[in-house]
């Protein structure tokens, strides 16, 4: 029998979005679909989430040399990540202090100075305004009064540079909470504790909302059915694949929700259970046995086993715009209610044999690349979701899966079956917290 259509007013359709109206969008483990489609809600997300909490901007290893820069977005604000003179990595608003033009245009490069394209004001890599053409038009001392480019608040953890447009945001470590242990797992997959992010970048767009992206342990059997079939047939085809066994293992893997909307698909126990097979695969690579020895030598056997088992894939999402999944960093860039850019950077490990980084790159390409079998299917299904969500009658979607069997673990995180919507509920809680702050 068909389900009766649930009629009712769209809580986001009120002229002003009061906190009370926003509260109405997340109810009884259901979400109102206007959270994904409304321009008004999207605008408020930019203002209250992307312009007020910590955002991942980039990793120091993307800009290894003095003058290296990358352009990124913080909500609607373009910013420049740049390796400055003293070795520090700076983040500046990409906005000239004269009449506001973006001063840097190339997405990545190396520069000693940034010269504004409009009237030629020049800034150095410290953001200082160093020259104004035809300066006689200004009173003495004008240049030093302007100073330089505006800076967001910036803090970093293990080279992960975060910035916030709100100077009063809590300290980064408080924001990251328990996720630092999972960032460590990615970094410590290198026996030198370092990564390299110069293998390239993949940028894709999908016609769907930014909140549709990922941390969903429920979709794998359907969206990725064809990939799973290949993996099951061929258990020996690459790093990060061979030791997975049954990737959707119900037995040992967990979905977890930390504070502040951060979430984890925790494969650690599952992968340590398959560690022997993976170590055999590593030993088959040139230099693989040395990598295993170097890992144990640096980290000891207990932690070293976890590091090897995870193979640099913590599968953690740091709310709202960073995911460390597979062999990559993934940055989520919201552009419109129904348009999102995904920036993916393959992670290469420092201090490992080339054979391992090559295998990591091949696995990245095969699941996440433009001609791959994974991410394009995810994006296709997000677009289908967005099409369905446009409707304004049956407006509620359900995220209650596994509510009856979730638990609070000894470390205070909420955890559940891998396929349960623990992450979706955790993200919705943080969304509501941030969106209802005046
Ligand atoms: S806007 Fe940059 S120099 Fe005029
Ligand atoms: Fe997927």
């Amino acid at each position: 029998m068909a389900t009766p259509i649930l009629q009712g007013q769209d809580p986001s359709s009120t002229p002003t979005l009061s906190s009370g109206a926003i509260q109405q969008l997340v109810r009884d483990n259901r979400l109102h679909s206007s959270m994904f489609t409304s321009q008004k809600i999207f605008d408020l997300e930019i203002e209250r989430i992307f312009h007020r909490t910590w955002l991942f901007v980039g990793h120091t290893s993307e800009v290894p040399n003095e003058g290296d820069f990358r352009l990124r977005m913080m909500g609607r604000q373009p910013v420049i990540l740049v390796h400055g003179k003293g070795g520090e990595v700076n983040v500046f608003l990409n906005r000239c202090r004269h009449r506001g033009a973006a001063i840097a245009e190339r997405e990545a490069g190396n520069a000693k100075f940034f010269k504004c394209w409009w009237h030629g004001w020049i800034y150095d890599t410290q953001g200082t305004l160093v020259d104004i053409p035809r300066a006689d038009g200004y009173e003495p001392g004008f240049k030093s009064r302007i100073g330089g480019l505006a800076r967001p608040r910036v803090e970093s953890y293990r080279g992960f540079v975060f910035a916030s447009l709100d100077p009063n945001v809590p300290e980064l470590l408080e924001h990251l909470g328990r996720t630092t242990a999972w960032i460590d797992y990615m970094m410590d997959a290198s026996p030198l504790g370092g990564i390299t992010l110069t293998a390239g970048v993949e940028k894709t767009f999908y016609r769907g909302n930014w909140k549709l992206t990922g941390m969903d342990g429920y979709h794998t059997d359907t969206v990725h059915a064809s990939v799973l079939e290949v993996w099951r047939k061929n258990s020996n085809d690459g790093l990060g694949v061979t030791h997975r066994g049954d990737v959707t293992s119900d037995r040992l893997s967990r979905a977890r929700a930390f504070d502040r909307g951060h979430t984890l698909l925790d494969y650690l126990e599952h992968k340590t259970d398959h560690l022997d097979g993976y170590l055999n695969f590593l030993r088959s690579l040139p230099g693989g046995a040395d990598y295993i020895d170097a890992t144990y030598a640096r980290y000891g056997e207990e932690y070293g086993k976890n590091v090897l088992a995870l193979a640099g894939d913590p599968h953690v999402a740091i709310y709202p715009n960073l995911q460390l999944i597979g062999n990559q960093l993934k940055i989520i860039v919201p552009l419109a209610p129904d348009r999102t850019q995904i920036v993916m950077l393959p992670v290469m490990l420092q201090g490992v044999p080339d054979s391992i980084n090559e295998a990591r790159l091949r696995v990245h390409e095969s699941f996440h690349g433009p001609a791959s079998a994974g991410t394009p299917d995810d994006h296709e299904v997000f677009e289908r979701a967005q099409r369905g969500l446009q409707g304004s009658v049956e407006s509620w979607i359900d995220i209650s899966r596994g509510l009856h069997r979730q638990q609070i673990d000894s470390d205070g995180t909420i955890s559940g079956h891998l396929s349960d919507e623990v992450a979706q509920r955790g993200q919705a809680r943080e969304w509501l917290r941030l969106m209802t702050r005046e």
Side-chain angles (χ1 to χ4, degrees):
M1 199 176 81
T3 312
I5 288 174
L6 300 174
Q7 300 280 6
Q9 209 204 342
D10 173 356
S12 69
S13 66
T14 52
T16 53
L17 265 178
S18 65
S19 289
I22 294 167
Q23 293 277 2
Q24 294 302 308
L25 298 169
V26 181
R27 249 185 0 214
D28 302 330
N29 299 295
R30 295 185 306 164
L31 306 178
H32 195 271
S33 54
S34 60
M35 279 175 66
F36 299 85
T37 58
S38 155
Q39 182 68 48
K40 207 180 335 174
I41 288 175
F42 180 82
D43 291 343
L44 208 60
E45 287 176 337
I46 295 294
E47 190 184 310
R48 294 199 177 161
I49 299 177
F50 285 84
H51 287 180
R52 287 190 60 187
T53 191
W54 286 109
L55 297 180
F56 174 72
V57 175
H59 194 273
T60 51
S61 65
E62 291 181 78
V63 286
N65 304 308
E66 188 179 315
D68 286 350
F69 69 89
R70 293 278 187 280
L71 301 192
R72 292 277 148 77
M73 293 297 290
M74 294 181 66
R76 289 209 173 90
Q77 178 61 60
V79 296
I80 310 171
L81 174 82
V82 58
H83 185 135
K85 273 183 222 147
E88 79 290 353
V89 169
N90 301 311
V91 181
F92 303 117
L93 304 197
N94 186 4
R95 178 191 159 92
C96 182
R97 296 299 305 278
H98 178 217
R99 282 201 241 151
I103 56 166
E105 280 301 309
R106 277 171 56 205
E107 284 186 35
N110 183 281
K112 280 200 171 60
F113 299 100
F114 297 99
K115 181 177 177 183
C116 180
W117 300 86
W118 203 351
H119 311 94
W121 287 24
I122 294 174
Y123 304 85
D124 66 13
T125 54
Q126 311 299 110
T128 309
L129 176 60
V130 291
D131 192 42
I132 297 181
R134 298 160 70 177
D136 59 332
Y138 295 98
E139 82 276 15
F142 175 81
K143 181 154 62 77
S144 47
R145 185 161 59 73
I146 291 281
L149 298 170
R151 299 165 185 258
R153 182 161 154 197
V154 176
E155 288 177 27
S156 64
Y157 178 76
R158 295 201 72 170
F160 288 77
V161 180
F162 289 79
S164 176
L165 297 171
D166 179 358
N168 299 316
V169 79
E171 287 185 5
L172 178 65
L173 280 182
E174 187 185 330
H175 172 75
L176 293 177
R178 296 186 184 281
T179 65
T180 54
W182 298 88
I183 294 175
D184 289 346
Y185 276 129
M186 174 173 263
M187 299 301 291
D188 294 341
S190 154
L192 302 179
I195 59 174
T196 305
L197 289 170
T198 46
V201 59
E202 290 188 28
K203 285 174 285 180
T204 55
F205 294 88
Y206 65 83
R207 289 164 294 183
N209 189 268
W210 65 276
K211 297 187 293 298
L212 295 168
T213 300
M215 308 314 285
D216 176 11
Y218 192 22
H219 76 295
T220 320
D221 283 339
T222 42
V223 175
H224 303 304
S226 53
V227 182
L228 293 181
E229 200 183 316
V230 172
W231 285 357
R232 282 176 185 133
K233 271 193 205 144
N234 181 3
S235 60
N236 238 341
D237 71 344
L239 190 78
V241 175
T242 47
H243 65 308
R244 284 171 193 253
D246 180 0
V247 76
T248 57
S249 166
D250 290 351
R251 197 166 53 90
L252 295 172
S253 304
R254 305 285 288 169
R256 298 190 190 280
F258 302 113
D259 286 344
R260 293 178 186 268
H262 310 318
T263 51
L264 178 76
L265 296 185
D266 182 352
Y267 293 105
L268 181 58
E269 252 191 274
H270 173 67
K271 287 186 173 180
T272 45
D273 204 43
H274 289 79
L275 181 60
D276 288 345
Y278 177 57
L279 292 182
N280 286 339
F281 165 72
L282 276 182
R283 287 189 194 101
S284 74
L285 297 176
D290 294 339
Y291 169 59
I292 296 170
D293 291 346
T295 302
Y296 286 138
R298 174 156 176 150
Y299 301 116
E301 188 147 347
E302 197 182 339
Y303 184 65
K305 264 187 183 165
N306 290 351
V307 166
L308 287 166
L310 282 178
D313 173 12
H315 240 88
V316 68
I318 296 171
Y319 196 81
N321 76 328
L322 173 66
Q323 295 181 354
L324 311 182
I325 288 185
N327 302 331
Q328 60 179 348
L329 299 186
K330 179 161 153 183
I331 310 174
I332 300 160
V333 187
L335 300 174
D338 58 355
R339 194 156 168 81
T340 304
Q341 184 187 36
I342 299 293
V343 177
M344 287 185 281
L345 299 157
V347 174
M348 301 291 98
L349 304 174
Q350 290 179 8
V352 306
D354 289 348
S355 58
I356 288 180
N357 278 334
E358 279 164 20
R360 291 175 65 82
L361 202 50
R362 295 294 90 78
V363 169
H364 167 81
E365 289 159 356
S366 73
F367 196 83
H368 299 284
S372 70
T375 296
D377 287 345
D378 284 322
H379 290 181
E380 172 61 28
V381 94
F382 297 160
E383 295 196 351
R384 293 180 191 191
Q386 190 73 21
R387 282 207 293 281
L389 289 165
Q390 300 294 337
S392 59
V393 275
E394 176 62 46
S395 298
W396 292 91
I397 64 171
D398 188 278
I399 56 164
S400 69
R401 183 179 166 81
L403 197 59
H404 62 290
R405 56 182 177 181
Q406 73 179 24
Q407 64 185 57
I408 304 201
D409 291 344
S410 55
D411 66 0
T413 65
I414 301 173
S415 80
H417 189 286
L418 182 68
S419 71
D420 289 348
E421 285 158 341
V422 171
Q424 285 66 28
R425 291 191 287 276
Q427 290 166 338
R429 271 193 301 279
E430 181 66 357
W431 185 88
L432 205 51
R433 185 181 79 83
L434 295 173
M435 289 288 279
T436 52
R437 292 189 309 177
E438 295 296 342

